Amino acid sequence: MSASASPARAEQGLTDRLGLPRPLVWGFAGLLLFMIGDGVESGYISPYLQAHGADTATRAAVVITVYGAVVTAGSWLSGALSDVWGPRRVMWLGLGVWSVFEVLFLAVALPTGNYPLILLTYGLRGFGYPFFAYGFLVWVLAGSPAHRLGSAVGWFYFAFTGGLPTLGSLLASGSEPLIGEYATLWLSLALVVAGGVLALTGIRGARGGGRLAPPEVTAGRSVANSVLIIFSQPRIAVGCLIRVVNTAPQFGFLVFLPAVFSDDLGFGTSGWLRLVFVLGAANIFANLFFGVLSDRLGWHRTLRWFGCAGSAVSSLCLYFLPAHVSDAYWLAVVCAALYGVTLAGFTPISVLMSLMAPGQKGNAIAVLNLGAGAATFVGPLIVAAFLGVIGPGGVTVVFAALYLLAGVAVRWLTIPEESRQAVAEGRPLTEGGPLTEAGDARPLTEEGDARAGTTRRP
């Protein structure tokens, strides 16, 4: 089927103009509702645990740390399991895990104040949302036309970050005074179940929800391949490192910027929290914008210039500009928004990772998710290693340098011929098969990337 004759290249109706894969529309709506439910507790769970069974801040921190470790593991496994079980089954498993362990947490662990049971139920619930959300991401990447993947991924992150923590925290701020913290947790369960059922029933017939790997690949082999692919496909390892660089500085900034803005610049705690909200809000809408833009401008080009180079500049602005302007809160707000926007320039990394390994899309996304998890401790680790030596300004320069190095590394994110053909024909890359050898992969130049990512009418 030629590109000129392909109906997939024609824009039909509002969903196509918005870059939404029409068969997956209810999946995005359900994901937003699911993540709102998951994000309800994010603003108050630590002190709530301390007051209801964890007893001390340290024990509450242990519960949340275990939960975070399980989320990281679930993020990795979700991609590998989606290859062999299919994204649909992984999403159902995520919904079931979240619901069952949340019921045990709310109905048994919290009322009895049993700390080991709190640790077990809340911790194991951590498999729930990554199985559901990242299983859906694999479905999006497998079932969307290749030339519109940027838009589809942009919508995914719009729904994901819109729910967790933004709208989830906003909902909690309104429900907690009315019905209390405990009832609000039950409300979150209802939202998660409603969102999960809406997504899975609304898109049950959409392409890409079934098994993606060849028949001979077992679950154990797929999990092993999600590690081995880093060594057999070096460009996948490069993509993982770029994903680490994406948000490692963001987590690092959260270590020392609160003191800088609250105390040194005199904005106070409330002023700092408003900056965090501005950064997050800007990032939500920019994810969608850059997803759509990258399909037209090119995935490599968007990632290199708006994501990597843009974040290098905006991170320097975020720290240095407010410190050198009197009465600078308005400037800090602008810099925080700019940093949130440029972080969204990394949206195409998900597209490129899936296209670099067309026969192991789930495993490639598993590695991508592993990079996302690693960023949560790499950023603070850099701060711990360098803050006492070169100060916050020096650490900021290190972060900016990492972004620039990531921009250079984008050139190694090459696309094999199988994926290039799918992009040219505007069809989903859903058929499993052997990976193209690394030596056969040809770089998709910025000019070619832009051509492949541009939607044209036949």
Side-chain angles (χ1 to χ4, degrees):
M1 181 172 58
S2 66
S4 60
S6 172
R9 304 303 294 264
E11 295 182 347
Q12 301 174 357
L14 179 62
T15 56
D16 297 281
R17 289 196 296 272
L18 293 175
L20 268 169
R22 188 178 306 180
L24 299 175
V25 167
W26 289 112
F28 292 104
L31 176 66
L32 176 62
L33 196 58
F34 185 104
M35 298 313 298
I36 290 174
D38 189 80
V40 161
E41 67 187 35
S42 59
Y44 71 88
I45 191 63
S46 180
Y48 187 81
L49 288 174
Q50 187 176 341
H52 296 83
D55 298 334
T56 66
T58 300
R59 281 157 67 94
V62 169
V63 174
I64 294 174
T65 300
V66 170
Y67 173 81
V70 173
V71 166
T72 301
S75 299
W76 165 52
L77 289 173
S78 63
L81 295 178
S82 290
D83 256 2
V84 291
W85 291 350
R88 181 187 296 106
R89 286 182 61 188
V90 173
M91 289 177 69
W92 275 116
L93 179 61
L95 176 60
V97 166
W98 206 105
S99 303
V100 169
F101 285 104
E102 181 73 352
V103 169
L104 292 174
F105 174 67
L106 295 178
V108 182
L110 283 180
T112 61
N114 187 317
Y115 180 71
L117 192 56
I118 290 174
L119 188 65
L120 178 67
T121 55
Y122 190 79
L124 290 179
R125 201 202 77 189
F127 283 113
Y129 99 69
F131 276 13
F132 183 87
Y134 294 131
F136 181 60
L137 176 60
V138 175
W139 197 336
V140 168
L141 291 168
S144 302
H147 68 291
R148 302 301 296 273
L149 283 175
S151 302
V153 171
W155 277 105
F156 170 85
Y157 283 110
F158 176 82
F160 184 97
T161 58
L164 175 68
T166 311
L167 292 179
S169 297
L170 184 63
L171 176 64
S173 69
S175 65
E176 189 275 331
L178 295 177
I179 62 176
E181 295 171 331
Y182 184 66
T184 295
L185 292 175
W186 282 104
L187 174 62
S188 72
L189 173 63
L191 291 171
V192 163
V193 172
V197 171
L198 174 64
L200 286 162
T201 57
I203 61 174
R204 60 183 179 273
R207 181 198 300 265
R211 181 186 176 95
L212 303 174
E216 67 273 11
V217 178
T218 64
R221 181 180 171 186
S222 183
V223 171
N225 286 343
S226 68
V227 176
L228 296 176
I229 194 174
I230 297 175
F231 304 98
S232 64
Q233 299 287 329
R235 58 182 179 262
I236 296 294
V238 173
C240 179
L241 292 175
I242 292 175
R243 180 60 184 88
V244 172
V245 172
N246 177 192
T247 49
Q250 180 184 5
F251 288 108
F253 279 140
L254 293 176
V255 175
F256 68 87
L257 280 189
V260 171
F261 284 111
S262 300
D263 303 330
D264 298 348
L265 298 183
F267 297 158
T269 301
S270 61
W272 159 249
L273 292 176
R274 284 194 295 269
L275 290 178
V276 174
F277 173 79
V278 168
L279 190 157
N283 180 256
I284 291 171
F285 292 98
N287 280 323
L288 179 56
F289 172 78
F290 281 119
V292 175
L293 178 68
S294 67
D295 282 336
R296 300 181 178 277
L297 183 64
W299 301 310
H300 290 85
R301 185 176 295 168
T302 301
L303 175 60
R304 175 181 292 119
W305 296 111
F306 290 99
C308 300
S311 293
V313 172
S314 64
S315 61
L316 293 172
C317 291
L318 179 63
Y319 176 78
F320 287 104
L321 287 185
H324 292 86
V325 176
S326 59
D327 193 20
Y329 189 75
W330 66 270
L331 183 58
V333 169
V334 172
C335 291
L338 179 63
Y339 184 55
V341 167
T342 56
L343 284 176
F346 281 83
T347 296
I349 188 63
S350 299
V351 178
L352 293 171
M353 288 287 277
S354 69
L355 292 175
M356 286 190 293
Q360 297 187 65
K361 291 173 286 295
N363 287 333
I365 297 304
V367 176
L368 180 75
N369 294 339
L370 185 63
T376 63
F377 65 84
V378 169
L381 180 63
I382 292 173
V383 175
F386 293 104
L387 186 63
V389 180
I390 57 180
V395 172
T396 302
V397 172
V398 170
F399 287 155
L402 288 176
Y403 281 127
L404 292 177
L405 289 174
V408 174
V410 170
R411 69 187 299 268
W412 285 291
L413 302 183
T414 55
I415 304 297
E417 186 61 35
E418 180 181 347
S419 296
R420 293 168 60 90
Q421 188 65 27
V423 173
E425 295 177 0
R427 58 176 172 83
L429 191 64
T430 55
E431 296 298 325
L435 285 172
T436 304
E437 294 297 327
D440 294 336
R442 291 185 292 158
L444 197 61
T445 63
E446 290 191 355
E447 179 184 359
D449 185 10
R451 286 200 304 268
T454 300
T455 303
R456 296 185 179 89
R457 297 180 182 275

